[in-house]
Amino acid sequence: MTDTATRATSNTITSVADTTTATGIGLLVVRIGFGGLMAAYGAQKLFGWFNGPGWQTNADGFTAMGYNPGELFGTLAGLSELVGGLLLVFGLGTPLAAAIVLGTMINAIHVMWSGGLFPSDPAVPGYSTPLLFALVAVALAFTGPGRFSLDAGRPWARQGVVLGAIAVGAAVVAAVLTLIAKAVL
């Protein structure tokens, strides 16, 4: 009987360790892939890398969307995507990084809202991509960075409802303040 209990406990421990490792690997893949894409979008806006518009064209685009001054809002969007994305890649300050990305995506959804979720005209951008990015940011805000991150073992790396809700709340507040500034300026 002792032998059976020992084996069952040993298998349970192995199973927990395997699950923790698998979850950590999954979060690492999501963070690197998603964070890398966000950082690349920011680099497109700021530096023109990866076939991007570059800073001046980006600023002009933000002015055309009603974000005046376009230089300020375009730079803010590019920096948010670049910094938020890089923080996610490394799993550093993950709740803050998720909030940065989410706030930016809320503004992107606002801009593309009139195109609909899946526009029938391919020339009209819909908001499905920024919505997908926002959902990933929310998920990372609640799950945390995982075991394979620079945040691992730090107090803010703890996942959970409270920390996730704080990150999402901060993102919503930042996005609303940005939209108010857009309307006022």
PDB file of all heavy atoms in Angstrom, residues 50-87:
ATOM      1  N   PHE A  50      10.459  47.338 -41.389  1.00  0.00           N
ATOM      2  CA  PHE A  50       9.491  46.292 -41.773  1.00  0.00           C
ATOM      3  C   PHE A  50       8.420  46.856 -42.714  1.00  0.00           C
ATOM      4  O   PHE A  50       7.231  46.592 -42.553  1.00  0.00           O
ATOM      5  CB  PHE A  50       8.839  45.651 -40.533  1.00  0.00           C
ATOM      6  CG  PHE A  50       9.812  45.248 -39.461  1.00  0.00           C
ATOM      7  CD1 PHE A  50       9.836  45.906 -38.238  1.00  0.00           C
ATOM      8  CD2 PHE A  50      10.710  44.218 -39.680  1.00  0.00           C
ATOM      9  CE1 PHE A  50      10.729  45.543 -37.238  1.00  0.00           C
ATOM     10  CE2 PHE A  50      11.618  43.845 -38.686  1.00  0.00           C
ATOM     11  CZ  PHE A  50      11.621  44.508 -37.466  1.00  0.00           C
ATOM     12  N   ASN A  51       8.843  47.630 -43.694  1.00  0.00           N
ATOM     13  CA  ASN A  51       7.941  48.237 -44.685  1.00  0.00           C
ATOM     14  C   ASN A  51       6.920  49.174 -44.063  1.00  0.00           C
ATOM     15  O   ASN A  51       5.811  49.334 -44.579  1.00  0.00           O
ATOM     16  CB  ASN A  51       7.230  47.164 -45.520  1.00  0.00           C
ATOM     17  CG  ASN A  51       8.197  46.316 -46.309  1.00  0.00           C
ATOM     18  OD1 ASN A  51       9.142  46.837 -46.885  1.00  0.00           O
ATOM     19  ND2 ASN A  51       7.995  45.015 -46.298  1.00  0.00           N
ATOM     20  N   GLY A  52       7.272  49.799 -42.973  1.00  0.00           N
ATOM     21  CA  GLY A  52       6.353  50.694 -42.283  1.00  0.00           C
ATOM     22  C   GLY A  52       6.387  52.107 -42.837  1.00  0.00           C
ATOM     23  O   GLY A  52       7.242  52.455 -43.656  1.00  0.00           O
ATOM     24  N   PRO A  53       5.454  52.932 -42.376  1.00  0.00           N
ATOM     25  CA  PRO A  53       5.342  54.289 -42.906  1.00  0.00           C
ATOM     26  C   PRO A  53       6.428  55.246 -42.409  1.00  0.00           C
ATOM     27  O   PRO A  53       6.713  56.241 -43.054  1.00  0.00           O
ATOM     28  CB  PRO A  53       3.972  54.751 -42.402  1.00  0.00           C
ATOM     29  CG  PRO A  53       3.745  53.961 -41.158  1.00  0.00           C
ATOM     30  CD  PRO A  53       4.410  52.631 -41.412  1.00  0.00           C
ATOM     31  N   GLY A  54       7.026  54.975 -41.285  1.00  0.00           N
ATOM     32  CA  GLY A  54       7.983  55.914 -40.711  1.00  0.00           C
ATOM     33  C   GLY A  54       7.268  56.990 -39.920  1.00  0.00           C
ATOM     34  O   GLY A  54       6.045  57.129 -39.961  1.00  0.00           O
ATOM     35  N   TRP A  55       8.064  57.769 -39.188  1.00  0.00           N
ATOM     36  CA  TRP A  55       7.512  58.713 -38.225  1.00  0.00           C
ATOM     37  C   TRP A  55       6.639  59.790 -38.872  1.00  0.00           C
ATOM     38  O   TRP A  55       5.516  60.015 -38.423  1.00  0.00           O
ATOM     39  CB  TRP A  55       8.642  59.351 -37.414  1.00  0.00           C
ATOM     40  CG  TRP A  55       8.118  60.258 -36.355  1.00  0.00           C
ATOM     41  CD1 TRP A  55       7.590  59.884 -35.155  1.00  0.00           C
ATOM     42  CD2 TRP A  55       8.018  61.667 -36.415  1.00  0.00           C
ATOM     43  NE1 TRP A  55       7.182  60.993 -34.452  1.00  0.00           N
ATOM     44  CE2 TRP A  55       7.437  62.106 -35.217  1.00  0.00           C
ATOM     45  CE3 TRP A  55       8.371  62.624 -37.371  1.00  0.00           C
ATOM     46  CZ2 TRP A  55       7.201  63.439 -34.938  1.00  0.00           C
ATOM     47  CZ3 TRP A  55       8.140  63.958 -37.090  1.00  0.00           C
ATOM     48  CH2 TRP A  55       7.549  64.342 -35.881  1.00  0.00           C
ATOM     49  N   GLN A  56       7.128  60.474 -39.902  1.00  0.00           N
ATOM     50  CA  GLN A  56       6.373  61.592 -40.465  1.00  0.00           C
ATOM     51  C   GLN A  56       5.073  61.133 -41.124  1.00  0.00           C
ATOM     52  O   GLN A  56       4.013  61.726 -40.908  1.00  0.00           O
ATOM     53  CB  GLN A  56       7.212  62.385 -41.477  1.00  0.00           C
ATOM     54  CG  GLN A  56       6.540  63.668 -41.924  1.00  0.00           C
ATOM     55  CD  GLN A  56       6.238  64.608 -40.754  1.00  0.00           C
ATOM     56  OE1 GLN A  56       7.142  65.001 -40.017  1.00  0.00           O
ATOM     57  NE2 GLN A  56       4.980  64.954 -40.559  1.00  0.00           N
ATOM     58  N   THR A  57       5.129  60.073 -41.902  1.00  0.00           N
ATOM     59  CA  THR A  57       3.912  59.556 -42.536  1.00  0.00           C
ATOM     60  C   THR A  57       2.925  59.066 -41.476  1.00  0.00           C
ATOM     61  O   THR A  57       1.716  59.268 -41.606  1.00  0.00           O
ATOM     62  CB  THR A  57       4.263  58.421 -43.521  1.00  0.00           C
ATOM     63  OG1 THR A  57       5.198  58.922 -44.469  1.00  0.00           O
ATOM     64  CG2 THR A  57       3.034  57.905 -44.238  1.00  0.00           C
ATOM     65  N   ASN A  58       3.437  58.446 -40.437  1.00  0.00           N
ATOM     66  CA  ASN A  58       2.595  57.999 -39.335  1.00  0.00           C
ATOM     67  C   ASN A  58       1.933  59.198 -38.657  1.00  0.00           C
ATOM     68  O   ASN A  58       0.736  59.186 -38.376  1.00  0.00           O
ATOM     69  CB  ASN A  58       3.426  57.200 -38.332  1.00  0.00           C
ATOM     70  CG  ASN A  58       2.600  56.673 -37.181  1.00  0.00           C
ATOM     71  OD1 ASN A  58       1.605  55.987 -37.369  1.00  0.00           O
ATOM     72  ND2 ASN A  58       3.014  57.007 -35.982  1.00  0.00           N
ATOM     73  N   ALA A  59       2.713  60.239 -38.382  1.00  0.00           N
ATOM     74  CA  ALA A  59       2.173  61.449 -37.752  1.00  0.00           C
ATOM     75  C   ALA A  59       1.095  62.077 -38.631  1.00  0.00           C
ATOM     76  O   ALA A  59       0.035  62.494 -38.136  1.00  0.00           O
ATOM     77  CB  ALA A  59       3.291  62.444 -37.486  1.00  0.00           C
ATOM     78  N   ASP A  60       1.333  62.124 -39.933  1.00  0.00           N
ATOM     79  CA  ASP A  60       0.330  62.661 -40.859  1.00  0.00           C
ATOM     80  C   ASP A  60      -0.939  61.816 -40.839  1.00  0.00           C
ATOM     81  O   ASP A  60      -2.050  62.342 -40.897  1.00  0.00           O
ATOM     82  CB  ASP A  60       0.895  62.726 -42.281  1.00  0.00           C
ATOM     83  CG  ASP A  60       2.038  63.727 -42.423  1.00  0.00           C
ATOM     84  OD1 ASP A  60       2.197  64.599 -41.541  1.00  0.00           O
ATOM     85  OD2 ASP A  60       2.783  63.613 -43.422  1.00  0.00           O
ATOM     86  N   GLY A  61      -0.774  60.510 -40.751  1.00  0.00           N
ATOM     87  CA  GLY A  61      -1.931  59.612 -40.671  1.00  0.00           C
ATOM     88  C   GLY A  61      -2.740  59.845 -39.407  1.00  0.00           C
ATOM     89  O   GLY A  61      -3.980  59.836 -39.441  1.00  0.00           O
ATOM     90  N   PHE A  62      -2.069  60.057 -38.291  1.00  0.00           N
ATOM     91  CA  PHE A  62      -2.781  60.324 -37.040  1.00  0.00           C
ATOM     92  C   PHE A  62      -3.515  61.660 -37.101  1.00  0.00           C
ATOM     93  O   PHE A  62      -4.623  61.781 -36.595  1.00  0.00           O
ATOM     94  CB  PHE A  62      -1.828  60.249 -35.838  1.00  0.00           C
ATOM     95  CG  PHE A  62      -1.738  58.867 -35.265  1.00  0.00           C
ATOM     96  CD1 PHE A  62      -0.969  57.892 -35.875  1.00  0.00           C
ATOM     97  CD2 PHE A  62      -2.442  58.518 -34.126  1.00  0.00           C
ATOM     98  CE1 PHE A  62      -0.906  56.609 -35.370  1.00  0.00           C
ATOM     99  CE2 PHE A  62      -2.390  57.241 -33.605  1.00  0.00           C
ATOM    100  CZ  PHE A  62      -1.610  56.282 -34.229  1.00  0.00           C
ATOM    101  N   THR A  63      -2.893  62.649 -37.741  1.00  0.00           N
ATOM    102  CA  THR A  63      -3.576  63.932 -37.926  1.00  0.00           C
ATOM    103  C   THR A  63      -4.838  63.729 -38.761  1.00  0.00           C
ATOM    104  O   THR A  63      -5.897  64.260 -38.418  1.00  0.00           O
ATOM    105  CB  THR A  63      -2.634  64.955 -38.598  1.00  0.00           C
ATOM    106  OG1 THR A  63      -1.500  65.153 -37.756  1.00  0.00           O
ATOM    107  CG2 THR A  63      -3.337  66.273 -38.826  1.00  0.00           C
ATOM    108  N   ALA A  64      -4.732  62.939 -39.828  1.00  0.00           N
ATOM    109  CA  ALA A  64      -5.894  62.679 -40.695  1.00  0.00           C
ATOM    110  C   ALA A  64      -7.006  61.935 -39.953  1.00  0.00           C
ATOM    111  O   ALA A  64      -8.186  62.102 -40.273  1.00  0.00           O
ATOM    112  CB  ALA A  64      -5.453  61.877 -41.921  1.00  0.00           C
ATOM    113  N   MET A  65      -6.637  61.137 -38.936  1.00  0.00           N
ATOM    114  CA  MET A  65      -7.642  60.415 -38.153  1.00  0.00           C
ATOM    115  C   MET A  65      -8.242  61.276 -37.045  1.00  0.00           C
ATOM    116  O   MET A  65      -9.078  60.817 -36.284  1.00  0.00           O
ATOM    117  CB  MET A  65      -7.033  59.150 -37.527  1.00  0.00           C
ATOM    118  CG  MET A  65      -6.716  58.062 -38.516  1.00  0.00           C
ATOM    119  SD  MET A  65      -6.112  56.553 -37.715  1.00  0.00           S
ATOM    120  CE  MET A  65      -4.477  57.013 -37.179  1.00  0.00           C
ATOM    121  N   GLY A  66      -7.788  62.528 -36.935  1.00  0.00           N
ATOM    122  CA  GLY A  66      -8.331  63.424 -35.927  1.00  0.00           C
ATOM    123  C   GLY A  66      -7.548  63.456 -34.637  1.00  0.00           C
ATOM    124  O   GLY A  66      -7.975  64.084 -33.668  1.00  0.00           O
ATOM    125  N   TYR A  67      -6.406  62.789 -34.595  1.00  0.00           N
ATOM    126  CA  TYR A  67      -5.548  62.814 -33.414  1.00  0.00           C
ATOM    127  C   TYR A  67      -4.551  63.969 -33.598  1.00  0.00           C
ATOM    128  O   TYR A  67      -3.492  63.795 -34.186  1.00  0.00           O
ATOM    129  CB  TYR A  67      -4.801  61.491 -33.253  1.00  0.00           C
ATOM    130  CG  TYR A  67      -5.654  60.356 -32.751  1.00  0.00           C
ATOM    131  CD1 TYR A  67      -6.401  59.570 -33.617  1.00  0.00           C
ATOM    132  CD2 TYR A  67      -5.695  60.057 -31.394  1.00  0.00           C
ATOM    133  CE1 TYR A  67      -7.167  58.515 -33.150  1.00  0.00           C
ATOM    134  CE2 TYR A  67      -6.456  59.008 -30.917  1.00  0.00           C
ATOM    135  CZ  TYR A  67      -7.195  58.249 -31.806  1.00  0.00           C
ATOM    136  OH  TYR A  67      -7.950  57.209 -31.341  1.00  0.00           O
ATOM    137  N   ASN A  68      -4.924  65.146 -33.129  1.00  0.00           N
ATOM    138  CA  ASN A  68      -4.082  66.333 -33.290  1.00  0.00           C
ATOM    139  C   ASN A  68      -3.479  66.739 -31.961  1.00  0.00           C
ATOM    140  O   ASN A  68      -4.213  66.804 -30.971  1.00  0.00           O
ATOM    141  CB  ASN A  68      -4.921  67.496 -33.850  1.00  0.00           C
ATOM    142  CG  ASN A  68      -5.377  67.212 -35.263  1.00  0.00           C
ATOM    143  OD1 ASN A  68      -4.579  66.882 -36.113  1.00  0.00           O
ATOM    144  ND2 ASN A  68      -6.666  67.314 -35.487  1.00  0.00           N
ATOM    145  N   PRO A  69      -2.210  66.999 -31.901  1.00  0.00           N
ATOM    146  CA  PRO A  69      -1.230  66.952 -32.987  1.00  0.00           C
ATOM    147  C   PRO A  69      -0.826  65.511 -33.320  1.00  0.00           C
ATOM    148  O   PRO A  69      -0.562  64.706 -32.420  1.00  0.00           O
ATOM    149  CB  PRO A  69      -0.044  67.755 -32.459  1.00  0.00           C
ATOM    150  CG  PRO A  69      -0.145  67.653 -30.973  1.00  0.00           C
ATOM    151  CD  PRO A  69      -1.612  67.490 -30.655  1.00  0.00           C
ATOM    152  N   GLY A  70      -0.792  65.216 -34.596  1.00  0.00           N
ATOM    153  CA  GLY A  70      -0.456  63.872 -35.050  1.00  0.00           C
ATOM    154  C   GLY A  70       0.919  63.415 -34.628  1.00  0.00           C
ATOM    155  O   GLY A  70       1.144  62.227 -34.404  1.00  0.00           O
ATOM    156  N   GLU A  71       1.844  64.378 -34.504  1.00  0.00           N
ATOM    157  CA  GLU A  71       3.194  64.029 -34.072  1.00  0.00           C
ATOM    158  C   GLU A  71       3.179  63.437 -32.660  1.00  0.00           C
ATOM    159  O   GLU A  71       3.849  62.461 -32.376  1.00  0.00           O
ATOM    160  CB  GLU A  71       4.111  65.261 -34.109  1.00  0.00           C
ATOM    161  CG  GLU A  71       4.406  65.765 -35.498  1.00  0.00           C
ATOM    162  CD  GLU A  71       3.305  66.652 -36.084  1.00  0.00           C
ATOM    163  OE1 GLU A  71       2.328  66.984 -35.371  1.00  0.00           O
ATOM    164  OE2 GLU A  71       3.408  66.996 -37.271  1.00  0.00           O
ATOM    165  N   LEU A  72       2.402  64.043 -31.780  1.00  0.00           N
ATOM    166  CA  LEU A  72       2.314  63.556 -30.403  1.00  0.00           C
ATOM    167  C   LEU A  72       1.625  62.200 -30.335  1.00  0.00           C
ATOM    168  O   LEU A  72       2.165  61.235 -29.786  1.00  0.00           O
ATOM    169  CB  LEU A  72       1.557  64.557 -29.530  1.00  0.00           C
ATOM    170  CG  LEU A  72       1.204  64.065 -28.121  1.00  0.00           C
ATOM    171  CD1 LEU A  72       2.461  63.917 -27.282  1.00  0.00           C
ATOM    172  CD2 LEU A  72       0.217  64.992 -27.466  1.00  0.00           C
ATOM    173  N   PHE A  73       0.428  62.118 -30.909  1.00  0.00           N
ATOM    174  CA  PHE A  73      -0.346  60.877 -30.813  1.00  0.00           C
ATOM    175  C   PHE A  73       0.284  59.735 -31.605  1.00  0.00           C
ATOM    176  O   PHE A  73       0.266  58.584 -31.171  1.00  0.00           O
ATOM    177  CB  PHE A  73      -1.790  61.117 -31.259  1.00  0.00           C
ATOM    178  CG  PHE A  73      -2.602  61.873 -30.261  1.00  0.00           C
ATOM    179  CD1 PHE A  73      -2.959  63.195 -30.496  1.00  0.00           C
ATOM    180  CD2 PHE A  73      -3.016  61.285 -29.072  1.00  0.00           C
ATOM    181  CE1 PHE A  73      -3.714  63.905 -29.573  1.00  0.00           C
ATOM    182  CE2 PHE A  73      -3.761  61.987 -28.147  1.00  0.00           C
ATOM    183  CZ  PHE A  73      -4.112  63.301 -28.392  1.00  0.00           C
ATOM    184  N   GLY A  74       0.862  60.044 -32.776  1.00  0.00           N
ATOM    185  CA  GLY A  74       1.524  59.008 -33.568  1.00  0.00           C
ATOM    186  C   GLY A  74       2.748  58.454 -32.870  1.00  0.00           C
ATOM    187  O   GLY A  74       2.999  57.245 -32.877  1.00  0.00           O
ATOM    188  N   THR A  75       3.514  59.362 -32.236  1.00  0.00           N
ATOM    189  CA  THR A  75       4.687  58.927 -31.475  1.00  0.00           C
ATOM    190  C   THR A  75       4.254  58.109 -30.266  1.00  0.00           C
ATOM    191  O   THR A  75       4.853  57.067 -29.956  1.00  0.00           O
ATOM    192  CB  THR A  75       5.523  60.142 -31.032  1.00  0.00           C
ATOM    193  OG1 THR A  75       5.914  60.873 -32.202  1.00  0.00           O
ATOM    194  CG2 THR A  75       6.752  59.706 -30.259  1.00  0.00           C
ATOM    195  N   LEU A  76       3.224  58.563 -29.579  1.00  0.00           N
ATOM    196  CA  LEU A  76       2.713  57.834 -28.419  1.00  0.00           C
ATOM    197  C   LEU A  76       2.256  56.430 -28.805  1.00  0.00           C
ATOM    198  O   LEU A  76       2.590  55.450 -28.125  1.00  0.00           O
ATOM    199  CB  LEU A  76       1.560  58.606 -27.780  1.00  0.00           C
ATOM    200  CG  LEU A  76       0.934  58.018 -26.527  1.00  0.00           C
ATOM    201  CD1 LEU A  76       1.959  57.913 -25.408  1.00  0.00           C
ATOM    202  CD2 LEU A  76      -0.247  58.864 -26.084  1.00  0.00           C
ATOM    203  N   ALA A  77       1.544  56.312 -29.917  1.00  0.00           N
ATOM    204  CA  ALA A  77       1.088  54.990 -30.370  1.00  0.00           C
ATOM    205  C   ALA A  77       2.273  54.101 -30.733  1.00  0.00           C
ATOM    206  O   ALA A  77       2.335  52.926 -30.342  1.00  0.00           O
ATOM    207  CB  ALA A  77       0.153  55.128 -31.562  1.00  0.00           C
ATOM    208  N   GLY A  78       3.227  54.656 -31.478  1.00  0.00           N
ATOM    209  CA  GLY A  78       4.402  53.867 -31.867  1.00  0.00           C
ATOM    210  C   GLY A  78       5.216  53.417 -30.668  1.00  0.00           C
ATOM    211  O   GLY A  78       5.634  52.264 -30.587  1.00  0.00           O
ATOM    212  N   LEU A  79       5.435  54.344 -29.730  1.00  0.00           N
ATOM    213  CA  LEU A  79       6.182  53.986 -28.517  1.00  0.00           C
ATOM    214  C   LEU A  79       5.433  52.958 -27.676  1.00  0.00           C
ATOM    215  O   LEU A  79       6.040  52.046 -27.110  1.00  0.00           O
ATOM    216  CB  LEU A  79       6.468  55.232 -27.684  1.00  0.00           C
ATOM    217  CG  LEU A  79       7.594  56.129 -28.173  1.00  0.00           C
ATOM    218  CD1 LEU A  79       7.648  57.412 -27.351  1.00  0.00           C
ATOM    219  CD2 LEU A  79       8.929  55.404 -28.138  1.00  0.00           C
ATOM    220  N   SER A  80       4.115  53.106 -27.592  1.00  0.00           N
ATOM    221  CA  SER A  80       3.318  52.144 -26.817  1.00  0.00           C
ATOM    222  C   SER A  80       3.434  50.750 -27.411  1.00  0.00           C
ATOM    223  O   SER A  80       3.610  49.766 -26.680  1.00  0.00           O
ATOM    224  CB  SER A  80       1.854  52.579 -26.784  1.00  0.00           C
ATOM    225  OG  SER A  80       1.721  53.777 -26.069  1.00  0.00           O
ATOM    226  N   GLU A  81       3.343  50.651 -28.721  1.00  0.00           N
ATOM    227  CA  GLU A  81       3.447  49.343 -29.365  1.00  0.00           C
ATOM    228  C   GLU A  81       4.858  48.780 -29.231  1.00  0.00           C
ATOM    229  O   GLU A  81       5.033  47.599 -28.925  1.00  0.00           O
ATOM    230  CB  GLU A  81       3.048  49.448 -30.837  1.00  0.00           C
ATOM    231  CG  GLU A  81       1.574  49.717 -31.028  1.00  0.00           C
ATOM    232  CD  GLU A  81       1.191  49.954 -32.478  1.00  0.00           C
ATOM    233  OE1 GLU A  81       2.088  50.037 -33.356  1.00  0.00           O
ATOM    234  OE2 GLU A  81      -0.022  50.060 -32.741  1.00  0.00           O
ATOM    235  N   LEU A  82       5.873  49.633 -29.433  1.00  0.00           N
ATOM    236  CA  LEU A  82       7.258  49.171 -29.350  1.00  0.00           C
ATOM    237  C   LEU A  82       7.629  48.760 -27.924  1.00  0.00           C
ATOM    238  O   LEU A  82       8.086  47.635 -27.690  1.00  0.00           O
ATOM    239  CB  LEU A  82       8.208  50.268 -29.846  1.00  0.00           C
ATOM    240  CG  LEU A  82       9.696  49.924 -29.814  1.00  0.00           C
ATOM    241  CD1 LEU A  82      10.023  48.800 -30.793  1.00  0.00           C
ATOM    242  CD2 LEU A  82      10.528  51.156 -30.132  1.00  0.00           C
ATOM    243  N   VAL A  83       7.407  49.651 -26.976  1.00  0.00           N
ATOM    244  CA  VAL A  83       7.797  49.366 -25.588  1.00  0.00           C
ATOM    245  C   VAL A  83       6.927  48.257 -24.991  1.00  0.00           C
ATOM    246  O   VAL A  83       7.444  47.317 -24.375  1.00  0.00           O
ATOM    247  CB  VAL A  83       7.734  50.648 -24.731  1.00  0.00           C
ATOM    248  CG1 VAL A  83       7.933  50.344 -23.263  1.00  0.00           C
ATOM    249  CG2 VAL A  83       8.769  51.655 -25.213  1.00  0.00           C
ATOM    250  N   GLY A  84       5.613  48.354 -25.171  1.00  0.00           N
ATOM    251  CA  GLY A  84       4.728  47.307 -24.658  1.00  0.00           C
ATOM    252  C   GLY A  84       5.067  45.952 -25.245  1.00  0.00           C
ATOM    253  O   GLY A  84       5.111  44.942 -24.537  1.00  0.00           O
ATOM    254  N   GLY A  85       5.340  45.924 -26.545  1.00  0.00           N
ATOM    255  CA  GLY A  85       5.699  44.667 -27.199  1.00  0.00           C
ATOM    256  C   GLY A  85       7.004  44.083 -26.685  1.00  0.00           C
ATOM    257  O   GLY A  85       7.099  42.889 -26.408  1.00  0.00           O
ATOM    258  N   LEU A  86       8.023  44.940 -26.543  1.00  0.00           N
ATOM    259  CA  LEU A  86       9.310  44.453 -26.049  1.00  0.00           C
ATOM    260  C   LEU A  86       9.215  43.972 -24.604  1.00  0.00           C
ATOM    261  O   LEU A  86       9.826  42.964 -24.239  1.00  0.00           O
ATOM    262  CB  LEU A  86      10.384  45.536 -26.187  1.00  0.00           C
ATOM    263  CG  LEU A  86      10.843  45.828 -27.617  1.00  0.00           C
ATOM    264  CD1 LEU A  86      11.811  47.009 -27.644  1.00  0.00           C
ATOM    265  CD2 LEU A  86      11.456  44.604 -28.265  1.00  0.00           C
ATOM    266  N   LEU A  87       8.460  44.695 -23.777  1.00  0.00           N
ATOM    267  CA  LEU A  87       8.277  44.239 -22.395  1.00  0.00           C
ATOM    268  C   LEU A  87       7.609  42.870 -22.361  1.00  0.00           C
ATOM    269  O   LEU A  87       7.977  42.005 -21.552  1.00  0.00           O
ATOM    270  CB  LEU A  87       7.453  45.256 -21.604  1.00  0.00           C
ATOM    271  CG  LEU A  87       8.164  46.561 -21.234  1.00  0.00           C
ATOM    272  CD1 LEU A  87       7.178  47.547 -20.618  1.00  0.00           C
ATOM    273  CD2 LEU A  87       9.335  46.312 -20.306  1.00  0.00           C
TER     274      LEU A  87
END
